[in-house]
Amino acid sequence: MAGEPLLDVLCERFVVDKDHSALLPICTGLREGRLSLLQFVDSLGPYLTHAETNVRLRGTLLLSSVVEHCVSKLNEKEMVVICKFYKDKLKDHYTLLPAVLQGFLCLSVSPLLPEGLAVDILKALFCEVQVQSLIQVDRRSIYSIIANFMDGRRHELKGLGADFVYGFLQAMDGEKDPRNLLVTFHIAYDILRHGFQLGPYDEEFFEVTSCYFPIDFSPPTNDPYGVTHEQLVLALRPVLSYSPQLAQFVLPLLLEKLDSEMQSSKRDAMETLTECCAAYGANELQDSLNDIATSLRREVLEPVSEAVEMAALDAIQALALTLARSVMPPDGRDLLHMLLEDTVVECTPTLTTGEARRLLSASRLLQAVGKACYRACIHVLTASMHVLVKRFNDSKQALERCTLVDALRNLSLCCQDLTEAREGEAESPLHNHIETLLELAGAAVSDTHLQLRQAGIALLIALASLPGALSEEQLGLAVCHLSQLIQDPVSQCSVAAVDGCAALASMHSTLLISHCLPPLTAQLLKDAECHLAMKSLARLCLHPDVMRHVVPELLDHLCTATTVADVVVTCEHLHNIVSQSKRCPESLSYLYNTLLLRLLSHAVHTSTAYGEDRVSDDFAGDASVIWHSSTVIGAVARLLTAISSFAEAEYVEVLLPDLLLLFLDGDGKLLANGMLDSPFQPLQPNSPWQQTQLTALLAACIGSLQRKVAVPEWERLLSYLVKLTLTSEHTPTVISGATCIAALVNKEPSGLRLDVLLKDILKKLDDNLSVERQHGCRLHALALLLWVTKAMVLRYHPTAPEFVNKLLFLLGDTDLGVDAADGFRLLVTESSLLLGPAAHADIRLLYRQRLYTERAACLLLAANADGDRRSNSLQALAHLLAALPRQALVAELPTLSPHLLSWLAEPHVAVLAAALALLQVALAHSPKPLEPQVESFLTCLLPLTRSPSMSVRIAALKCLSAITCLPTHLLLPHWITVQHTLAAVLDDKKRLVRREAIEARGRWFLLGSPGR
């Protein structure tokens, strides 16, 4: 800085001229050492002591701003001087307080603040400032200063003793702003958590904090601060529940709220009580135990809402758990015993004769107290099991027996989370009841009543899932019961039984393999039960051991299937198994190394064993030739895609070289027996179509791999694929080859190798798309163009515009124009296979919007021309519009709205659908420009309600509903015509069309009515 005169000028600019740009040079000089704080204070001094309050305010604000920006450069002596100045300013005019608080706030976060200054600052604030008389921002500053000192200077604040607590309570008392309350609740919690002495202020601490309980705050609509009711509740709850010192005050408050008429207050009180139980201990709960337990039991046995009932169950479980931790007296009649006795006494009448709803509530209540410890579990089970079993045996009503089984299951689950084991006791608390429960469950699952059978299944699963509850023999019996239900093809309980067995797979996989799998695999040989058996087997594969037994069986069935439908269904179930195993590396490794190789081997062997040159899909009855069907190959390809997309890179890199040797060179060492029956050259154009169509399997295996996996012989493979795609006469081969090329180039990193390949593809496309070529050759070249264009558009590759331009040029082609226009739908449609997110494709955000932005003007220009190009361009534009989100369509309304009428006269369904969708958006967001043309729009819309396309009819009716937003005087002249048209549509054969017609007719009937 040049010198002090310049500093004086800067201070004057800030204070007198209110020029805030003067702050930066001052702060820069201080940080760089060209200016000392002493020089700055000397220049600022006249303003800090000026007679006018406004000048002193601006001077203090400048000082605080400098401190904020340069606090790290201040030494201890300077901080002491500044703090002394700020403390004196607290006694100055009240308008200076915000600037002083700003300075204190900056100092409170500094780790260099000298020892003792934090205490001095707080003492000054507590003595000189009436916090609740300040505005919200200033109050928050004070709370933030306290919070900062609590975090960094806690040991100093503890030296204040109870005086600090008193000062904080005085500052917080009466606070109402939710933003400030969040800070104060955290401070109050830290006071308790870090052991600050409350001294004589424990009751005052409770009074100041508990007045906000329960939180009654609903944030306003569009609240910019984001403070929620839940945040306040979760911030206050630890304050009330942390310290046993507050128990004498908190528990009466919670008891009062438990009797409240407001369900939210009850629930909040119960959730707070749940946390209090863990913190307080049995001694603090003793005096209020009976009243608390009575209130909680009432909320469970006489529930008003499910949420309150669940909260009450959690609270009484926490209460029992706390009592279980207390020391038991010699006579065994401790507080837990009293709670158990009272609960059993209150629940016994309900268990004996109560209605279904109360019976289940009573069982859940007993379950909650029984989970406390081993002793509680024994007590509850001994008192209630025989009552429920006797009632079940005496009952003749299926629904009542079903409720009793559910109640028994609830009681059995007392042992589920039991962590305390009785010394010297190895038996489960259910040991004396297991035989009875298994017999009862067996009777339930054998009953003819569906709901009772399902309840029996749930009881069996609950018993089998309890560790150590059942012996091996009993487990086998339970699994046998479930297995019998799974095998019954007409049983409506088979799904529940399968789900139950699947849940037990991780604990008892050996039992499932020995009891459930053999009968299900036997059903694979029965046509009537085959599909249900496969579905059940697939759902059971949640454990690697079970999967290793199921997959070979399904593969054998797949390879011997005699119908296309059977193969497709089997592939779908195998696909489900793969999806279930995607989070298990062990299972994925097995599937990739077994399932993938077996499918490839079978497909290759059947392709080399072809007979007559058939191209139809009528292969029924021949298990070998059936794999020549393109439908079968497609189903297998989808399965292989799923396996490859989930597989880890280390598995893939081992098999990938051999896989490419198989398809490029016909080397069969990858296959099961390592040899081929006849030459296998699927990538050669002169090979039989039975072999070339297996390109779909190659695409599935390598097109869905993770992007980090490098494909060996990439250039050679793609040259073969390009040649095959452009010269093959078999359409499925062409499509699979094109998709494989697209998947590979989409994931290939940018560089010379990719650029050379794309240039070569463009050259070959030019040659094969020339008009001298035959139609079939040009059509296949178009397929390659479309897929490669999609791959490039998805990743924003620089060559994408070249491919799109070539596609645009074809819109005017007499032979390929329609197909090229329809190809734009492919470009913007999200692919679920090789170019989708699941296959790790390189997809950039907003690629559809980018494609539309770049090409809309060109297509719109062509759409206004004459000839075939106009029609094709309109279809292409329609496909792009259909893919745009609604917000993007709104932005395009000014450009597109003038063309709506002409597009509504087009015969193409895609154009009509896009025009109608655009018209709906225009009517919703910008109807004013459409008012002069209302008659023309109605003239176009009414005939479309009879269109052959259901989607067009529905869209036209939606537009007729939306058009009622226009002024009534414009619509009333057409009222009769519209009503007659809509009356006829009410008889449409499609329900969705009739529904829209009713909606539209109702809106038109209300035209001109009062209040519209």
Side-chain angles (χ1 to χ4, degrees):
M1 183 166 290
E4 293 189 23
L6 180 57
L7 181 58
D8 293 339
V9 171
L10 291 173
C11 291
E12 182 179 359
R13 281 172 52 193
F14 188 96
V15 176
V16 179
D17 300 335
K18 298 182 180 181
D19 181 5
H20 288 263
S21 64
L23 175 64
L24 181 60
I26 298 175
C27 294
T28 303
L30 285 170
R31 283 197 297 265
E32 294 177 355
R34 293 183 284 105
L35 174 68
S36 69
L37 185 66
L38 180 61
Q39 291 175 308
F40 170 62
V41 173
D42 284 343
S43 297
L44 190 61
Y47 303 110
L48 298 176
T49 58
H50 200 277
E52 292 187 15
T53 303
N54 288 337
V55 176
R56 296 200 306 277
L57 170 61
R58 294 292 300 176
T60 307
L61 180 61
L62 176 57
L63 177 62
S64 295
S65 300
V66 169
V67 169
E68 180 180 0
H69 288 84
C70 304
V71 66
S72 60
K73 297 295 182 179
L74 301 179
N75 57 43
E76 292 188 3
K77 184 178 179 180
E78 291 170 339
M79 288 189 179
V80 171
V81 172
I82 291 173
C83 282
K84 184 178 180 182
F85 168 77
Y86 280 145
K87 287 192 294 182
D88 290 340
K89 284 298 176 183
L90 287 176
K91 301 174 183 178
D92 203 334
H93 196 271
Y94 70 93
T95 56
L96 274 67
L97 185 59
V100 174
L101 293 178
Q102 179 186 349
F104 277 148
L105 187 59
C106 298
L107 293 172
S108 68
V109 298
S110 174
L112 304 177
L113 193 70
E115 190 85 12
L117 278 189
V119 172
D120 291 344
I121 291 173
L122 288 183
K123 282 183 176 179
L125 289 175
F126 292 157
C127 292
E128 302 294 340
V129 180
Q130 295 294 324
V131 178
Q132 291 307 314
S133 65
L134 306 180
I135 62 174
Q136 184 270 333
V137 175
D138 294 340
R139 299 199 307 273
R140 185 177 181 84
S141 296
I142 292 179
Y143 299 141
S144 298
I145 292 169
I146 298 173
N148 291 339
F149 285 146
M150 285 287 291
D151 290 337
R153 305 283 169 165
R154 192 179 305 122
H155 63 285
E156 296 181 38
L157 301 190
K158 284 188 176 181
L160 282 171
D163 290 341
F164 168 71
V165 176
Y166 177 75
F168 166 69
L169 293 177
Q170 290 293 104
M172 177 185 174
D173 192 13
E175 181 59 59
K176 296 179 181 180
D177 189 273
R179 294 164 289 176
N180 291 347
L181 286 175
L182 275 180
V183 181
T184 58
F185 290 160
H186 287 302
I187 296 173
Y189 176 59
D190 284 341
I191 288 174
L192 298 174
R193 184 163 59 105
H194 296 297
F196 281 73
Q197 295 298 318
L198 299 183
Y201 303 117
D202 53 354
E203 185 173 2
E204 185 170 354
F205 185 93
F206 166 75
E207 293 293 342
V208 171
T209 55
S210 66
C211 66
Y212 301 102
F213 182 85
I215 296 293
D216 183 19
F217 168 70
S218 298
T221 306
N222 300 324
D223 181 17
Y225 306 107
V227 179
T228 65
H229 175 269
E230 188 68 17
Q231 287 177 327
L232 291 170
V233 168
L234 295 179
L236 176 61
R237 187 171 294 158
V239 178
L240 300 178
S241 63
Y242 186 82
S243 175
Q245 189 175 350
L246 301 178
Q248 58 179 320
F249 311 115
V250 173
L251 291 177
L253 171 68
L254 295 181
L255 270 172
E256 177 189 344
K257 300 305 177 184
L258 287 176
D259 294 330
S260 171
E261 295 294 327
M262 296 180 61
Q263 299 303 309
S264 60
S265 297
K266 283 186 180 181
R267 183 180 176 184
D268 199 357
M270 291 171 187
E271 291 173 349
T272 304
L273 179 61
T274 301
E275 293 194 12
C276 289
C277 289
Y280 287 177
N283 291 334
E284 284 74 15
L285 294 168
Q286 181 173 358
D287 294 339
S288 305
L289 176 62
N290 187 51
D291 293 335
I292 291 174
T294 300
S295 297
L296 293 176
R297 287 194 294 263
R298 181 186 67 241
E299 296 302 329
V300 175
L301 296 175
E302 301 174 5
V304 177
S305 72
E306 183 178 355
V308 172
E309 182 184 0
M310 293 299 105
L313 289 170
D314 291 340
I316 203 165
Q317 182 178 342
L319 183 63
L321 190 60
T322 301
L323 299 180
R325 296 194 184 107
S326 62
V327 179
M328 186 171 63
D331 61 358
R333 296 188 61 81
D334 59 350
L335 294 176
L336 176 62
H337 182 83
M338 295 169 56
L339 176 66
L340 293 172
E341 283 290 334
D342 292 345
T343 303
V344 168
V345 168
E346 191 162 349
C347 291
T348 299
T350 303
L351 297 180
T352 307
T353 58
E355 61 177 356
R357 184 178 177 183
R358 286 178 58 87
L359 176 61
L360 290 176
S361 297
S363 69
R364 286 193 287 268
L365 178 58
L366 291 169
Q367 179 198 62
V369 296
K371 283 184 175 182
C373 62
Y374 190 96
R375 177 163 60 99
C377 189
I378 291 289
H379 190 110
V380 167
L381 294 178
T382 303
S384 57
M385 276 291 182
H386 70 281
V387 176
L388 291 175
V389 171
K390 182 178 183 302
R391 184 173 173 184
F392 177 86
N393 292 330
D394 294 341
S395 176
K396 302 300 180 183
Q397 297 180 3
L399 288 177
E400 183 182 5
R401 301 181 89 199
C402 175
T403 304
L404 290 165
V405 173
D406 288 338
L408 286 166
R409 177 174 59 84
N410 288 338
L411 290 172
S412 301
L413 292 176
C414 285
C415 313
Q416 188 175 35
D417 301 320
L418 200 58
T419 56
E420 178 189 34
R422 187 177 175 183
E423 187 177 351
E425 183 64 66
E427 294 179 345
S428 166
L430 275 174
H431 176 72
N432 296 328
H433 310 283
I434 283 294
E435 290 291 344
T436 303
L437 289 173
L438 282 176
E439 182 181 348
L440 186 146
V445 298
S446 303
D447 198 272
T448 56
H449 193 272
L450 174 62
Q451 195 171 344
L452 181 55
R453 297 177 79 180
Q454 292 175 335
I457 291 170
L459 177 57
L460 281 175
I461 295 168
L463 295 175
S465 63
L466 295 175
L470 303 183
S471 64
E472 286 297 321
E473 181 181 353
Q474 291 168 336
L475 277 171
L477 178 61
V479 173
C480 281
H481 280 307
L482 295 173
S483 178
Q484 290 173 1
L485 289 170
I486 293 173
Q487 297 171 48
D488 186 359
V490 298
S491 171
Q492 298 183 39
C493 298
S494 60
V495 174
V498 170
D499 290 340
C501 288
L504 300 175
S506 59
M507 299 175 61
H508 309 297
S509 59
T510 305
L511 281 173
L512 293 183
I513 292 169
S514 59
H515 288 79
C516 293
L517 298 191
L520 286 174
T521 53
Q523 288 182 352
L524 293 176
L525 303 175
K526 303 175 182 178
D527 293 340
E529 304 172 6
C530 174
H531 289 179
L532 181 61
M534 282 193 289
K535 183 178 180 181
S536 301
L537 287 169
R539 293 169 73 92
L540 290 174
C541 291
L542 296 180
H543 190 272
D545 292 340
V546 178
M547 186 199 63
R548 284 191 177 91
H549 283 78
V550 170
V551 168
E553 297 291 343
L554 292 181
L555 276 174
D556 290 340
H557 179 78
L558 179 66
C559 296
T560 57
T562 56
T563 64
V564 172
D566 203 8
V567 174
V568 172
V569 170
T570 309
C571 286
E572 289 175 355
H573 291 306
L574 286 169
H575 192 290
N576 292 337
I577 294 175
V578 173
S579 299
Q580 291 169 186
S581 307
K582 63 184 178 182
R583 300 187 187 279
C584 178
E586 181 184 355
S587 298
L588 285 177
S589 174
Y590 171 80
L591 290 169
Y592 191 79
N593 291 285
T594 303
L595 182 57
L596 183 141
L597 293 182
R598 178 77 181 275
L599 290 170
L600 276 177
S601 296
H602 190 73
V604 170
H605 282 299
T606 54
S607 73
T608 57
Y610 55 88
E612 57 182 302
D613 192 20
R614 292 184 292 184
V615 293
S616 74
D617 279 357
D618 185 15
F619 300 100
D622 192 333
S624 176
V625 180
I626 196 175
W627 279 64
H628 297 169
S629 166
S630 60
T631 304
V632 169
I633 297 300
V636 175
R638 288 190 293 273
L639 177 56
L640 294 181
T641 299
I643 299 172
S644 300
S645 64
F646 293 138
E648 295 293 334
E650 53 265 29
Y651 309 145
V652 175
E653 289 167 352
V654 174
L655 294 180
L656 198 53
D658 292 337
L659 175 66
L660 292 173
L661 280 177
L662 173 64
F663 277 87
L664 289 172
D665 301 322
D667 188 338
K669 68 178 182 180
L670 178 71
L671 305 181
N673 56 9
M675 55 189 301
L676 292 165
D677 300 330
S678 60
F680 180 67
Q681 297 178 322
L683 300 184
Q684 295 299 324
N686 57 354
S687 294
W689 64 266
Q690 291 89 342
Q691 292 186 20
T692 61
Q693 71 173 349
L694 295 192
T695 310
L697 304 189
L698 173 65
C701 292
I702 66 174
S704 56
L705 299 177
Q706 298 178 33
R707 273 184 262 173
K708 62 183 178 181
V709 178
V711 178
E713 301 194 64
W714 188 83
E715 295 94 335
R716 183 183 172 206
L717 172 62
L718 279 164
S719 66
Y720 277 45
L721 287 170
V722 171
K723 182 178 179 182
L724 177 66
T725 303
L726 292 175
T727 57
S728 175
E729 297 180 358
H730 187 239
T731 301
T733 297
V734 173
I735 299 301
S736 57
T739 54
C740 187
I741 295 169
L744 290 173
V745 299
N746 175 262
K747 296 176 186 175
E748 177 67 13
S750 297
L752 180 61
R753 186 168 76 162
L754 180 60
D755 294 339
V756 170
L757 173 74
L758 294 175
K759 188 177 295 185
D760 182 59
I761 290 177
L762 280 169
K763 182 179 178 181
K764 291 179 178 178
L765 285 173
D766 285 336
D767 182 48
N768 284 269
L769 287 171
S770 63
V771 292
E772 292 82 10
R773 293 282 185 169
Q774 295 181 355
H775 175 72
C777 176
R778 300 184 73 206
L779 205 56
H780 292 168
L782 176 61
L784 177 59
L785 172 62
L786 286 171
W787 281 102
V788 175
T789 303
K790 182 176 179 69
M792 295 297 97
V793 167
L794 285 177
R795 59 179 288 183
Y796 290 175
H797 193 270
T799 60
E802 293 185 56
F803 286 92
V804 177
N805 286 337
K806 195 171 291 295
L807 198 56
L808 289 172
F809 177 76
L810 290 175
L811 292 177
D813 191 285
T814 307
D815 197 20
L816 298 180
V818 175
D819 296 305
D822 198 49
F824 276 84
R825 178 169 52 188
L826 174 67
L827 299 186
V828 294
T829 301
E830 183 172 340
S831 174
S832 59
L833 293 177
L834 299 184
L835 289 179
H840 312 289
D842 186 358
I843 304 175
R844 304 300 174 88
L845 291 175
L846 305 177
Y847 75 91
R848 297 182 182 90
Q849 287 90 317
R850 177 169 179 165
L851 178 61
Y852 174 83
T853 303
E854 293 176 348
R855 302 299 170 182
C858 177
L859 288 172
L860 200 56
L861 186 64
N864 293 324
D866 296 324
D868 293 336
R869 178 176 289 276
R870 177 182 185 279
S871 175
N872 296 333
S873 299
L874 269 178
Q875 289 193 67
L877 182 62
H879 293 313
L880 295 182
L881 287 172
L884 290 182
R886 192 177 185 91
Q887 297 89 334
L889 280 177
V890 173
E892 297 298 323
L893 282 177
T895 305
L896 300 176
S897 293
H899 306 282
L900 275 176
L901 279 174
S902 62
W903 294 349
L904 288 173
E906 289 291 325
H908 303 289
V909 171
V911 177
L912 287 173
L916 290 169
L918 188 63
L919 178 58
Q920 289 182 57
V921 174
L923 288 169
H925 295 87
S926 182
K928 189 72 175 178
L930 305 179
E931 291 180 6
Q933 298 174 303
V934 63
E935 183 176 358
S936 301
F937 278 116
L938 289 174
T939 304
C940 293
L941 289 173
L942 293 178
L944 292 179
T945 61
R946 300 185 296 275
S947 169
S949 169
M950 184 181 78
S951 61
V952 171
R953 298 201 301 274
I954 291 175
L957 290 168
K958 287 182 176 179
C959 288
L960 285 172
S961 294
I963 207 171
T964 56
C965 69
L966 298 180
T968 305
H969 70 277
L970 297 176
L971 299 176
L972 284 178
H974 312 283
W975 189 87
I976 296 177
T977 305
V978 173
Q979 289 293 352
H980 286 171
T981 302
L982 292 177
V985 184
L986 294 176
D987 294 327
D988 195 282
K989 60 183 178 180
K990 295 296 184 180
R991 179 181 60 83
L992 295 178
V993 178
R994 296 196 299 270
R995 186 175 68 182
E996 293 298 335
I998 292 171
E999 173 70 17
R1001 200 161 188 251
R1003 286 177 176 268
W1004 276 84
F1005 260 122
L1006 294 176
L1007 279 179
S1009 59
R1012 179 184 174 272

